[in-house]
Amino acid sequence: MPFRFIAFAGAAALLALPAFAASPPAPRDAKVWAAAEAAKPDQLKLLEQVVNIDSGTGDIEGGRKIAAILSARLKALGFSIESVKAEADGLPDNTVATLSGTGKGRILLIGHIDTVFEPGTVAKRPFRMDAEKAYGPGVSDEKGGVIEGVYALQILHDLGFKDFKQIVFLIETSEERGSSGTHALIGKLLADADVELNLEPGDTPDVLTVWRKGGRTFHIDVQGRAAHAGIAPQDGRNAITELIHQIQADDVFPKSGDGLTANVTVIEGGTRGNIIPDHASALINVRVRDKADYARVQAVLEKNAKAPIVPDTKVTVSGEPSYGPLANNPGTDALAAKAEAIYAGIGKTVTRGGNGGSSESAMAFESGIPALDGLGPAAGGFHAPSEYLLLGTVTPRLYLLTELIKDLGRQPPPRLK
């Protein structure tokens, strides 16, 4: 009985999964493959150069340095370069590189050069490689993908490929904060695109990203009243005590899993050890598969904010700009099938997956533009000192991106319905 039940349950689970028909291998383009192989040493040198520039979100000088390096490369390939002021204060300009061709497809490549790491991180752990991996702040998230994009365009230039209507390469500077400085620009570029290819890293061992959670950060701010902690603590209204209450009351959502998650990521409060704190704040990072869950979380936070337990404290809730989810959809599946066929043509297998990280591809999806994500080299350890890039995927992923651009330039996909 237990054995039969398990077997039945397993079969039901398999039936519930989406079925993907295997695509026949695409013919291997020997010239592109040779060019991708030949590019690897210089590709890794350029990656080392940009990884060894601190560019955490908000690092204006680091962003400028990297943009100057990449803009010069793209300008040499015939791209027109525009620096676009960020839509929020304290961020570097975004770079929009545009090239016109003679074909049909309008392709938007998106990559980001901002990282989650603080100034001085490069000095502590600069770019390095071993036999299998490259390491360093932002090596895969997402500088590896951005450099891959540059070299795919280099290969197309060197081969004289012009069978596309337009290629736009957006190199943005605030993705790690939900593209707070780029939302309007992305919307504008999507209005003139047939397809979006995102240079976020692929998951290991070699996975394309066909779904993503949306991500939004909520702020909880508590205003209390300062007082001497020894002489007159009763005159104070402890903002930290109230913040702890709010966090406990809000702790009703899952912290992990494929669906909605909510996790406290930052807590701040107090100024000195002898003062009752008059201010405290926390950040709650929320990830969703269903965009409606944002409102569900916000409703709980706002309800609790109206019921503080420390008298005379005020609690406010606000949210940062956010991405919606990239849902499973036929447009992305069709692009993934093309990618699988291209990979099969070089004797390799790429699989499909998804994760809780969010990206600009959600905006493409919401705009009705087919999008494929996770096209950078396969990698892991994101947002941590262990971040790495798998060197064995550098050449295959460069070949894949180059061939996808060729294919979509010749025949763009239909809009999502």
Side-chain angles (χ1 to χ4, degrees), residues 90 120 285 332 338 345 356 373 377:
N285 188 263
T332 294
K338 286 181 182 291
D373 207 326

Side-chain angles (χ1 to χ4, degrees), residues 319-404:
E320 296 180 0
S322 62
Y323 298 118
L326 170 62
N328 291 106
N329 67 90
T332 294
D333 287 340
L335 293 173
K338 286 181 182 291
E340 289 164 348
I342 291 168
Y343 238 49
I346 55 174
K348 292 186 173 291
T349 300
V350 67
T351 57
R352 307 182 195 188
N355 58 60
S358 53
S359 87
E360 307 94 339
S361 288
M363 297 181 65
F365 169 69
E366 291 182 344
S367 299
I369 305 300
L372 185 59
D373 207 326
L375 285 166
F382 311 120
H383 293 196
S386 59
E387 179 182 4
Y388 66 86
L389 178 152
L390 290 178
L391 294 171
T393 66
V394 168
T395 297
R397 286 299 184 109
L398 175 56
Y399 176 85
L400 170 60
L401 179 61
T402 307
E403 286 294 298
L404 273 174

Side-chain angles (χ1 to χ4, degrees), residues 249-266:
D250 296 337
D251 189 19
V252 295
F253 300 106
K255 294 179 173 59
S256 63
D258 284 343
L260 164 66
T261 62
N263 286 281
V264 178
T265 54
V266 176

Side-chain angles (χ1 to χ4, degrees), residues 20-32:
F20 302 119
S23 301
R28 170 173 161 166
D29 188 317
K31 290 183 178 179
V32 172

Side-chain angles (χ1 to χ4, degrees), residues 269-317:
T271 56
R272 294 180 181 273
N274 58 356
I275 300 176
I276 299 297
D278 64 354
H279 182 265
S281 63
L283 303 183
I284 298 181
N285 188 263
V286 176
R287 303 286 165 146
V288 301
R289 292 292 297 274
D290 182 346
K291 195 172 183 178
D293 279 338
Y294 285 144
R296 177 182 163 203
V297 173
Q298 185 168 350
V300 170
L301 302 186
E302 291 179 345
K303 178 183 177 182
N304 293 331
K306 295 175 182 177
I309 62 169
V310 177
D312 305 323
T313 57
K314 181 181 180 181
V315 183
T316 58
V317 174

